[in-house]
Amino acid sequence: MARLIAFLVGLGFCLVLLVSFITGAAGFIREGKPETVEHAFHLHPKDAHIKGRSPFTTFDRQQLQRGFQVYKEVCAGCHSLKYVAFRNLADLGYSEAEVKAIADQWAVQTPAVNPDTGEATTRKNLPSDRFPSPYPNEVAARAANNNALPPDLSLITKARHEGTDYTYSLLTGYRNADTYKNEKGETLPAANRPGTGLYFNPYFPNLNIAMPPPLISDGQVTYADGTKATVDQMAKDVSAFLTWTAEPNMERRHQTGFAVLIFLLVFTALAYMSYRNIWASKKGALAQG
């Protein structure tokens, strides 16, 4: 009797699941996937048109230096770059003396231990050091940013879909939520507008982001090479720099790939000619025999 009851309960459970599945599938086919507010107002990243990402182009070193300047003067106060060492800046065209000066004069020093007392202290940065975090720990970082943790930017363009374009679009995408309209002319519902400490950005996945607009006006940075520092230009430059930090060996990898492809093509041609020269006559002799 107990087995029969258990069987009937299991059968009823399966029937409920089957009915739910059929009902849900029928509703999906009839009405389609429901469109959320995030989907209706989210924008696809714009093309930043940055050189170096394609195997057929190389990074613009002047742009990378400008992007580093934007990071140093605008982003470094909140965001770390923990996987990049000061000496890596030599790849951007900085001399050894310039790299040493940048490391020595960096606003945040490297954590260290006093050899005499054993207490925690700091010291001047060396070219071999990685960029120090602007905060001593995660708790301090959250406390200074309304409980939001600023992400490390070393690999940000690899960690986000279409990372270079996403970074560029995000930096230039802040809008007024009260007046913004999507492509259909719809206004953002009041329930989805940013609350205290949040900012509306249609390029951010859930539309509201804790980071305030970092690039707020033209001329926020004065470029050493004389380039006009518009908001759009600064966003492109720092996006290019962060593309390089995420994969500093990209150009060398592309060059190696081309060399390997050429070698394989030549090797294939030589192998085919060797085959024709050595075995063609043998095959003919075997065919006649």
Side-chain angles (χ1 to χ4, degrees), residues 236-278:
K236 285 184 178 179
D237 293 342
V238 75
S239 297
F241 172 69
L242 294 177
T243 302
W244 172 81
T245 64
E247 198 165 355
N249 295 319
M250 184 185 295
E251 291 176 330
R252 261 170 269 170
R253 183 167 56 81
H254 289 163
Q255 293 168 359
T256 303
F258 280 124
V260 171
L261 285 175
I262 293 172
F263 169 78
L264 290 175
L265 288 173
V266 173
F267 178 80
T268 301
L270 290 174
Y272 177 73
M273 288 188 289
S274 298
Y275 160 76
R276 295 287 297 175
N277 186 51
I278 297 172

mmCIF file of all heavy atoms in Angstrom, residues 236-278:
data_model
loop_
_atom_site.group_PDB
_atom_site.id
_atom_site.type_symbol
_atom_site.label_atom_id
_atom_site.label_comp_id
_atom_site.label_asym_id
_atom_site.label_seq_id
_atom_site.Cartn_x
_atom_site.Cartn_y
_atom_site.Cartn_z
ATOM 1 N N LYS A 236 38.961 57.463 -25.185
ATOM 2 C CA LYS A 236 39.623 56.582 -26.147
ATOM 3 C C LYS A 236 41.046 56.246 -25.689
ATOM 4 O O LYS A 236 41.484 55.095 -25.772
ATOM 5 C CB LYS A 236 39.663 57.243 -27.521
ATOM 6 C CG LYS A 236 38.340 57.246 -28.264
ATOM 7 C CD LYS A 236 38.489 57.838 -29.648
ATOM 8 C CE LYS A 236 37.165 57.797 -30.398
ATOM 9 N NZ LYS A 236 37.280 58.393 -31.746
ATOM 10 N N ASP A 237 41.749 57.255 -25.213
ATOM 11 C CA ASP A 237 43.147 57.050 -24.833
ATOM 12 C C ASP A 237 43.277 56.104 -23.641
ATOM 13 O O ASP A 237 44.105 55.193 -23.650
ATOM 14 C CB ASP A 237 43.806 58.390 -24.512
ATOM 15 C CG ASP A 237 43.943 59.279 -25.742
ATOM 16 O OD1 ASP A 237 43.860 58.745 -26.857
ATOM 17 O OD2 ASP A 237 44.122 60.502 -25.573
ATOM 18 N N VAL A 238 42.461 56.301 -22.612
ATOM 19 C CA VAL A 238 42.574 55.432 -21.445
ATOM 20 C C VAL A 238 42.054 54.034 -21.775
ATOM 21 O O VAL A 238 42.546 53.029 -21.223
ATOM 22 C CB VAL A 238 41.833 56.045 -20.234
ATOM 23 C CG1 VAL A 238 40.319 55.903 -20.368
ATOM 24 C CG2 VAL A 238 42.325 55.420 -18.932
ATOM 25 N N SER A 239 41.106 53.916 -22.693
ATOM 26 C CA SER A 239 40.630 52.595 -23.124
ATOM 27 C C SER A 239 41.739 51.856 -23.866
ATOM 28 O O SER A 239 41.903 50.640 -23.698
ATOM 29 C CB SER A 239 39.392 52.733 -24.005
ATOM 30 O OG SER A 239 38.312 53.313 -23.304
ATOM 31 N N ALA A 240 42.491 52.580 -24.687
ATOM 32 C CA ALA A 240 43.635 51.973 -25.378
ATOM 33 C C ALA A 240 44.687 51.524 -24.373
ATOM 34 O O ALA A 240 45.253 50.423 -24.489
ATOM 35 C CB ALA A 240 44.230 52.969 -26.369
ATOM 36 N N PHE A 241 44.962 52.356 -23.381
ATOM 37 C CA PHE A 241 45.951 52.003 -22.359
ATOM 38 C C PHE A 241 45.526 50.756 -21.596
ATOM 39 O O PHE A 241 46.345 49.855 -21.344
ATOM 40 C CB PHE A 241 46.137 53.180 -21.392
ATOM 41 C CG PHE A 241 46.983 52.861 -20.196
ATOM 42 C CD1 PHE A 241 48.348 52.634 -20.330
ATOM 43 C CD2 PHE A 241 46.414 52.772 -18.929
ATOM 44 C CE1 PHE A 241 49.129 52.332 -19.224
ATOM 45 C CE2 PHE A 241 47.197 52.475 -17.824
ATOM 46 C CZ PHE A 241 48.555 52.252 -17.969
ATOM 47 N N LEU A 242 44.248 50.655 -21.240
ATOM 48 C CA LEU A 242 43.769 49.496 -20.494
ATOM 49 C C LEU A 242 43.703 48.249 -21.377
ATOM 50 O O LEU A 242 43.791 47.127 -20.863
ATOM 51 C CB LEU A 242 42.392 49.803 -19.883
ATOM 52 C CG LEU A 242 42.405 50.898 -18.811
ATOM 53 C CD1 LEU A 242 40.993 51.182 -18.329
ATOM 54 C CD2 LEU A 242 43.304 50.505 -17.637
ATOM 55 N N THR A 243 43.569 48.441 -22.675
ATOM 56 C CA THR A 243 43.670 47.303 -23.595
ATOM 57 C C THR A 243 45.091 46.757 -23.574
ATOM 58 O O THR A 243 45.307 45.536 -23.585
ATOM 59 C CB THR A 243 43.289 47.728 -25.017
ATOM 60 O OG1 THR A 243 41.951 48.251 -25.018
ATOM 61 C CG2 THR A 243 43.357 46.556 -25.993
ATOM 62 N N TRP A 244 46.058 47.654 -23.529
ATOM 63 C CA TRP A 244 47.464 47.238 -23.460
ATOM 64 C C TRP A 244 47.772 46.571 -22.124
ATOM 65 O O TRP A 244 48.451 45.540 -22.086
ATOM 66 C CB TRP A 244 48.366 48.451 -23.662
ATOM 67 C CG TRP A 244 49.809 48.153 -23.414
ATOM 68 C CD1 TRP A 244 50.709 47.558 -24.261
ATOM 69 C CD2 TRP A 244 50.539 48.402 -22.194
ATOM 70 N NE1 TRP A 244 51.942 47.422 -23.660
ATOM 71 C CE2 TRP A 244 51.867 47.929 -22.395
ATOM 72 C CE3 TRP A 244 50.196 48.979 -20.972
ATOM 73 C CZ2 TRP A 244 52.835 48.030 -21.407
ATOM 74 C CZ3 TRP A 244 51.166 49.066 -19.978
ATOM 75 C CH2 TRP A 244 52.468 48.606 -20.215
ATOM 76 N N THR A 245 47.286 47.113 -20.994
ATOM 77 C CA THR A 245 47.584 46.508 -19.689
ATOM 78 C C THR A 245 47.017 45.098 -19.599
ATOM 79 O O THR A 245 47.599 44.232 -18.931
ATOM 80 C CB THR A 245 47.009 47.350 -18.533
ATOM 81 O OG1 THR A 245 45.580 47.385 -18.617
ATOM 82 C CG2 THR A 245 47.561 48.762 -18.555
ATOM 83 N N ALA A 246 45.887 44.854 -20.250
ATOM 84 C CA ALA A 246 45.268 43.530 -20.198
ATOM 85 C C ALA A 246 46.070 42.494 -20.970
ATOM 86 O O ALA A 246 46.042 41.305 -20.632
ATOM 87 C CB ALA A 246 43.839 43.596 -20.738
ATOM 88 N N GLU A 247 46.786 42.936 -22.006
ATOM 89 C CA GLU A 247 47.601 42.008 -22.791
ATOM 90 C C GLU A 247 48.775 42.760 -23.406
ATOM 91 O O GLU A 247 48.788 43.062 -24.593
ATOM 92 C CB GLU A 247 46.754 41.352 -23.879
ATOM 93 C CG GLU A 247 47.389 40.103 -24.442
ATOM 94 C CD GLU A 247 46.403 39.267 -25.240
ATOM 95 O OE1 GLU A 247 45.209 39.605 -25.286
ATOM 96 O OE2 GLU A 247 46.855 38.273 -25.819
ATOM 97 N N PRO A 248 49.799 43.062 -22.601
ATOM 98 C CA PRO A 248 50.935 43.862 -23.089
ATOM 99 C C PRO A 248 51.749 43.164 -24.173
ATOM 100 O O PRO A 248 52.499 43.827 -24.887
ATOM 101 C CB PRO A 248 51.769 44.104 -21.823
ATOM 102 C CG PRO A 248 51.356 43.037 -20.875
ATOM 103 C CD PRO A 248 49.922 42.756 -21.170
ATOM 104 N N ASN A 249 51.621 41.846 -24.296
ATOM 105 C CA ASN A 249 52.376 41.103 -25.308
ATOM 106 C C ASN A 249 51.558 40.828 -26.565
ATOM 107 O O ASN A 249 51.939 39.975 -27.375
ATOM 108 C CB ASN A 249 52.867 39.773 -24.720
ATOM 109 C CG ASN A 249 53.865 39.969 -23.597
ATOM 110 O OD1 ASN A 249 54.732 40.835 -23.680
ATOM 111 N ND2 ASN A 249 53.751 39.180 -22.545
ATOM 112 N N MET A 250 50.458 41.540 -26.736
ATOM 113 C CA MET A 250 49.582 41.274 -27.868
ATOM 114 C C MET A 250 50.292 41.435 -29.212
ATOM 115 O O MET A 250 50.171 40.590 -30.108
ATOM 116 C CB MET A 250 48.357 42.197 -27.822
ATOM 117 C CG MET A 250 47.335 41.923 -28.917
ATOM 118 S SD MET A 250 45.984 43.125 -28.928
ATOM 119 C CE MET A 250 45.216 42.780 -27.347
ATOM 120 N N GLU A 251 51.060 42.507 -29.357
ATOM 121 C CA GLU A 251 51.751 42.739 -30.633
ATOM 122 C C GLU A 251 52.753 41.622 -30.918
ATOM 123 O O GLU A 251 52.834 41.125 -32.042
ATOM 124 C CB GLU A 251 52.449 44.097 -30.607
ATOM 125 C CG GLU A 251 51.491 45.275 -30.604
ATOM 126 C CD GLU A 251 52.210 46.596 -30.477
ATOM 127 O OE1 GLU A 251 53.298 46.627 -29.854
ATOM 128 O OE2 GLU A 251 51.696 47.606 -30.981
ATOM 129 N N ARG A 252 53.518 41.227 -29.890
ATOM 130 C CA ARG A 252 54.488 40.145 -30.081
ATOM 131 C C ARG A 252 53.786 38.829 -30.406
ATOM 132 O O ARG A 252 54.278 38.028 -31.211
ATOM 133 C CB ARG A 252 55.337 39.990 -28.817
ATOM 134 C CG ARG A 252 56.699 40.678 -28.908
ATOM 135 C CD ARG A 252 57.388 40.696 -27.573
ATOM 136 N NE ARG A 252 57.045 41.925 -26.848
ATOM 137 C CZ ARG A 252 57.347 42.145 -25.586
ATOM 138 N NH1 ARG A 252 57.975 41.234 -24.889
ATOM 139 N NH2 ARG A 252 57.027 43.273 -25.013
ATOM 140 N N ARG A 253 52.648 38.603 -29.797
ATOM 141 C CA ARG A 253 51.890 37.393 -30.072
ATOM 142 C C ARG A 253 51.400 37.379 -31.515
ATOM 143 O O ARG A 253 51.455 36.347 -32.189
ATOM 144 C CB ARG A 253 50.705 37.293 -29.108
ATOM 145 C CG ARG A 253 49.885 36.033 -29.248
ATOM 146 C CD ARG A 253 48.938 35.872 -28.069
ATOM 147 N NE ARG A 253 48.089 37.020 -27.896
ATOM 148 C CZ ARG A 253 46.983 37.236 -28.598
ATOM 149 N NH1 ARG A 253 46.620 36.394 -29.537
ATOM 150 N NH2 ARG A 253 46.233 38.292 -28.363
ATOM 151 N N HIS A 254 50.933 38.526 -31.995
ATOM 152 C CA HIS A 254 50.501 38.614 -33.389
ATOM 153 C C HIS A 254 51.674 38.369 -34.338
ATOM 154 O O HIS A 254 51.540 37.644 -35.334
ATOM 155 C CB HIS A 254 49.892 39.992 -33.663
ATOM 156 C CG HIS A 254 48.561 40.189 -33.007
ATOM 157 N ND1 HIS A 254 47.990 41.439 -32.833
ATOM 158 C CD2 HIS A 254 47.680 39.308 -32.487
ATOM 159 C CE1 HIS A 254 46.822 41.313 -32.237
ATOM 160 N NE2 HIS A 254 46.612 40.030 -32.011
ATOM 161 N N GLN A 255 52.829 38.971 -34.028
ATOM 162 C CA GLN A 255 54.011 38.785 -34.879
ATOM 163 C C GLN A 255 54.460 37.322 -34.898
ATOM 164 O O GLN A 255 54.800 36.779 -35.952
ATOM 165 C CB GLN A 255 55.147 39.683 -34.381
ATOM 166 C CG GLN A 255 54.879 41.169 -34.551
ATOM 167 C CD GLN A 255 55.875 42.042 -33.804
ATOM 168 O OE1 GLN A 255 56.777 41.545 -33.131
ATOM 169 N NE2 GLN A 255 55.702 43.355 -33.897
ATOM 170 N N THR A 256 54.439 36.694 -33.730
ATOM 171 C CA THR A 256 54.796 35.270 -33.664
ATOM 172 C C THR A 256 53.817 34.429 -34.459
ATOM 173 O O THR A 256 54.208 33.479 -35.153
ATOM 174 C CB THR A 256 54.818 34.803 -32.197
ATOM 175 O OG1 THR A 256 55.739 35.609 -31.457
ATOM 176 C CG2 THR A 256 55.215 33.344 -32.100
ATOM 177 N N GLY A 257 52.553 34.781 -34.382
ATOM 178 C CA GLY A 257 51.540 34.038 -35.133
ATOM 179 C C GLY A 257 51.770 34.116 -36.630
ATOM 180 O O GLY A 257 51.657 33.106 -37.347
ATOM 181 N N PHE A 258 52.104 35.304 -37.116
ATOM 182 C CA PHE A 258 52.389 35.459 -38.545
ATOM 183 C C PHE A 258 53.609 34.632 -38.946
ATOM 184 O O PHE A 258 53.621 33.989 -39.999
ATOM 185 C CB PHE A 258 52.612 36.924 -38.894
ATOM 186 C CG PHE A 258 51.348 37.709 -39.046
ATOM 187 C CD1 PHE A 258 51.133 38.859 -38.296
ATOM 188 C CD2 PHE A 258 50.368 37.318 -39.939
ATOM 189 C CE1 PHE A 258 49.960 39.584 -38.428
ATOM 190 C CE2 PHE A 258 49.196 38.034 -40.077
ATOM 191 C CZ PHE A 258 48.991 39.171 -39.320
ATOM 192 N N ALA A 259 54.656 34.653 -38.108
ATOM 193 C CA ALA A 259 55.865 33.885 -38.408
ATOM 194 C C ALA A 259 55.559 32.388 -38.463
ATOM 195 O O ALA A 259 56.053 31.668 -39.344
ATOM 196 C CB ALA A 259 56.934 34.165 -37.357
ATOM 197 N N VAL A 260 54.740 31.916 -37.534
ATOM 198 C CA VAL A 260 54.366 30.500 -37.515
ATOM 199 C C VAL A 260 53.558 30.139 -38.755
ATOM 200 O O VAL A 260 53.779 29.082 -39.372
ATOM 201 C CB VAL A 260 53.574 30.173 -36.233
ATOM 202 C CG1 VAL A 260 52.980 28.771 -36.305
ATOM 203 C CG2 VAL A 260 54.476 30.293 -35.007
ATOM 204 N N LEU A 261 52.638 30.994 -39.147
ATOM 205 C CA LEU A 261 51.839 30.728 -40.343
ATOM 206 C C LEU A 261 52.714 30.656 -41.599
ATOM 207 O O LEU A 261 52.533 29.767 -42.448
ATOM 208 C CB LEU A 261 50.770 31.818 -40.508
ATOM 209 C CG LEU A 261 49.573 31.751 -39.558
ATOM 210 C CD1 LEU A 261 48.670 32.953 -39.767
ATOM 211 C CD2 LEU A 261 48.789 30.463 -39.776
ATOM 212 N N ILE A 262 53.660 31.585 -41.711
ATOM 213 C CA ILE A 262 54.565 31.571 -42.871
ATOM 214 C C ILE A 262 55.401 30.292 -42.875
ATOM 215 O O ILE A 262 55.573 29.646 -43.915
ATOM 216 C CB ILE A 262 55.468 32.820 -42.850
ATOM 217 C CG1 ILE A 262 54.619 34.082 -43.085
ATOM 218 C CG2 ILE A 262 56.565 32.715 -43.897
ATOM 219 C CD1 ILE A 262 55.390 35.374 -42.882
ATOM 220 N N PHE A 263 55.904 29.907 -41.689
ATOM 221 C CA PHE A 263 56.690 28.677 -41.597
ATOM 222 C C PHE A 263 55.864 27.461 -42.014
ATOM 223 O O PHE A 263 56.342 26.597 -42.768
ATOM 224 C CB PHE A 263 57.199 28.494 -40.165
ATOM 225 C CG PHE A 263 57.793 27.134 -39.907
ATOM 226 C CD1 PHE A 263 59.075 26.828 -40.333
ATOM 227 C CD2 PHE A 263 57.050 26.155 -39.260
ATOM 228 C CE1 PHE A 263 59.620 25.571 -40.113
ATOM 229 C CE2 PHE A 263 57.578 24.901 -39.029
ATOM 230 C CZ PHE A 263 58.873 24.604 -39.461
ATOM 231 N N LEU A 264 54.632 27.394 -41.547
ATOM 232 C CA LEU A 264 53.775 26.250 -41.885
ATOM 233 C C LEU A 264 53.471 26.199 -43.374
ATOM 234 O O LEU A 264 53.436 25.111 -43.972
ATOM 235 C CB LEU A 264 52.486 26.310 -41.069
ATOM 236 C CG LEU A 264 52.615 26.043 -39.566
ATOM 237 C CD1 LEU A 264 51.285 26.251 -38.870
ATOM 238 C CD2 LEU A 264 53.134 24.636 -39.314
ATOM 239 N N LEU A 265 53.257 27.374 -43.981
ATOM 240 C CA LEU A 265 52.997 27.401 -45.423
ATOM 241 C C LEU A 265 54.215 26.915 -46.207
ATOM 242 O O LEU A 265 54.093 26.111 -47.141
ATOM 243 C CB LEU A 265 52.607 28.822 -45.849
ATOM 244 C CG LEU A 265 51.218 29.305 -45.402
ATOM 245 C CD1 LEU A 265 51.035 30.777 -45.748
ATOM 246 C CD2 LEU A 265 50.121 28.471 -46.072
ATOM 247 N N VAL A 266 55.397 27.429 -45.831
ATOM 248 C CA VAL A 266 56.626 27.007 -46.518
ATOM 249 C C VAL A 266 56.879 25.518 -46.292
ATOM 250 O O VAL A 266 57.225 24.776 -47.221
ATOM 251 C CB VAL A 266 57.826 27.839 -46.032
ATOM 252 C CG1 VAL A 266 59.130 27.300 -46.600
ATOM 253 C CG2 VAL A 266 57.646 29.314 -46.415
ATOM 254 N N PHE A 267 56.698 25.061 -45.056
ATOM 255 C CA PHE A 267 56.913 23.648 -44.742
ATOM 256 C C PHE A 267 55.953 22.757 -45.530
ATOM 257 O O PHE A 267 56.342 21.703 -46.047
ATOM 258 C CB PHE A 267 56.736 23.417 -43.244
ATOM 259 C CG PHE A 267 56.891 21.985 -42.836
ATOM 260 C CD1 PHE A 267 58.150 21.423 -42.670
ATOM 261 C CD2 PHE A 267 55.775 21.182 -42.624
ATOM 262 C CE1 PHE A 267 58.294 20.094 -42.305
ATOM 263 C CE2 PHE A 267 55.908 19.854 -42.258
ATOM 264 C CZ PHE A 267 57.176 19.314 -42.094
ATOM 265 N N THR A 268 54.694 23.190 -45.626
ATOM 266 C CA THR A 268 53.710 22.413 -46.387
ATOM 267 C C THR A 268 54.093 22.331 -47.857
ATOM 268 O O THR A 268 53.992 21.265 -48.486
ATOM 269 C CB THR A 268 52.317 23.045 -46.240
ATOM 270 O OG1 THR A 268 51.961 23.083 -44.851
ATOM 271 C CG2 THR A 268 51.261 22.245 -46.994
ATOM 272 N N ALA A 269 54.538 23.467 -48.428
ATOM 273 C CA ALA A 269 54.953 23.475 -49.832
ATOM 274 C C ALA A 269 56.153 22.563 -50.061
ATOM 275 O O ALA A 269 56.193 21.793 -51.032
ATOM 276 C CB ALA A 269 55.269 24.907 -50.271
ATOM 277 N N LEU A 270 57.152 22.609 -49.159
ATOM 278 C CA LEU A 270 58.339 21.754 -49.285
ATOM 279 C C LEU A 270 57.970 20.278 -49.144
ATOM 280 O O LEU A 270 58.487 19.415 -49.873
ATOM 281 C CB LEU A 270 59.377 22.135 -48.233
ATOM 282 C CG LEU A 270 60.070 23.492 -48.432
ATOM 283 C CD1 LEU A 270 60.970 23.800 -47.240
ATOM 284 C CD2 LEU A 270 60.887 23.500 -49.721
ATOM 285 N N ALA A 271 57.065 19.991 -48.195
ATOM 286 C CA ALA A 271 56.651 18.605 -47.997
ATOM 287 C C ALA A 271 55.930 18.070 -49.233
ATOM 288 O O ALA A 271 56.145 16.918 -49.656
ATOM 289 C CB ALA A 271 55.756 18.504 -46.768
ATOM 290 N N TYR A 272 55.080 18.921 -49.827
ATOM 291 C CA TYR A 272 54.350 18.481 -51.021
ATOM 292 C C TYR A 272 55.307 18.253 -52.192
ATOM 293 O O TYR A 272 55.201 17.253 -52.909
ATOM 294 C CB TYR A 272 53.299 19.522 -51.402
ATOM 295 C CG TYR A 272 52.545 19.167 -52.669
ATOM 296 C CD1 TYR A 272 51.597 18.157 -52.663
ATOM 297 C CD2 TYR A 272 52.808 19.842 -53.855
ATOM 298 C CE1 TYR A 272 50.911 17.818 -53.823
ATOM 299 C CE2 TYR A 272 52.126 19.514 -55.020
ATOM 300 C CZ TYR A 272 51.185 18.505 -54.992
ATOM 301 O OH TYR A 272 50.512 18.164 -56.137
ATOM 302 N N MET A 273 56.280 19.165 -52.368
ATOM 303 C CA MET A 273 57.238 19.002 -53.466
ATOM 304 C C MET A 273 58.119 17.774 -53.242
ATOM 305 O O MET A 273 58.459 17.052 -54.192
ATOM 306 C CB MET A 273 58.092 20.264 -53.600
ATOM 307 C CG MET A 273 57.327 21.453 -54.165
ATOM 308 S SD MET A 273 58.368 22.888 -54.534
ATOM 309 C CE MET A 273 58.774 23.422 -52.879
ATOM 310 N N SER A 274 58.478 17.510 -51.978
ATOM 311 C CA SER A 274 59.260 16.316 -51.678
ATOM 312 C C SER A 274 58.458 15.058 -52.002
ATOM 313 O O SER A 274 58.987 14.079 -52.556
ATOM 314 C CB SER A 274 59.665 16.309 -50.204
ATOM 315 O OG SER A 274 60.482 17.414 -49.904
ATOM 316 N N TYR A 275 57.211 15.091 -51.665
ATOM 317 C CA TYR A 275 56.342 13.953 -51.975
ATOM 318 C C TYR A 275 56.282 13.713 -53.477
ATOM 319 O O TYR A 275 56.414 12.577 -53.955
ATOM 320 C CB TYR A 275 54.944 14.229 -51.415
ATOM 321 C CG TYR A 275 53.865 13.394 -52.052
ATOM 322 C CD1 TYR A 275 53.703 12.049 -51.717
ATOM 323 C CD2 TYR A 275 53.002 13.955 -52.990
ATOM 324 C CE1 TYR A 275 52.713 11.286 -52.322
ATOM 325 C CE2 TYR A 275 52.027 13.203 -53.595
ATOM 326 C CZ TYR A 275 51.878 11.860 -53.254
ATOM 327 O OH TYR A 275 50.898 11.106 -53.856
ATOM 328 N N ARG A 276 56.100 14.800 -54.218
ATOM 329 C CA ARG A 276 56.015 14.665 -55.681
ATOM 330 C C ARG A 276 57.327 14.151 -56.263
ATOM 331 O O ARG A 276 57.339 13.344 -57.187
ATOM 332 C CB ARG A 276 55.670 16.022 -56.299
ATOM 333 C CG ARG A 276 54.296 16.560 -55.933
ATOM 334 C CD ARG A 276 53.189 15.828 -56.626
ATOM 335 N NE ARG A 276 53.283 16.000 -58.072
ATOM 336 C CZ ARG A 276 52.483 15.381 -58.946
ATOM 337 N NH1 ARG A 276 51.565 14.536 -58.514
ATOM 338 N NH2 ARG A 276 52.625 15.581 -60.246
ATOM 339 N N ASN A 277 58.448 14.601 -55.717
ATOM 340 C CA ASN A 277 59.754 14.243 -56.259
ATOM 341 C C ASN A 277 60.165 12.812 -55.900
ATOM 342 O O ASN A 277 60.767 12.095 -56.704
ATOM 343 C CB ASN A 277 60.807 15.226 -55.744
ATOM 344 C CG ASN A 277 62.163 14.998 -56.371
ATOM 345 O OD1 ASN A 277 62.284 14.928 -57.596
ATOM 346 N ND2 ASN A 277 63.184 14.879 -55.532
ATOM 347 N N ILE A 278 59.841 12.371 -54.693
ATOM 348 C CA ILE A 278 60.319 11.069 -54.218
ATOM 349 C C ILE A 278 59.343 9.944 -54.525
ATOM 350 O O ILE A 278 59.729 8.866 -54.991
ATOM 351 C CB ILE A 278 60.592 11.127 -52.700
ATOM 352 C CG1 ILE A 278 61.714 12.129 -52.413
ATOM 353 C CG2 ILE A 278 60.954 9.747 -52.148
ATOM 354 C CD1 ILE A 278 61.935 12.394 -50.947
#
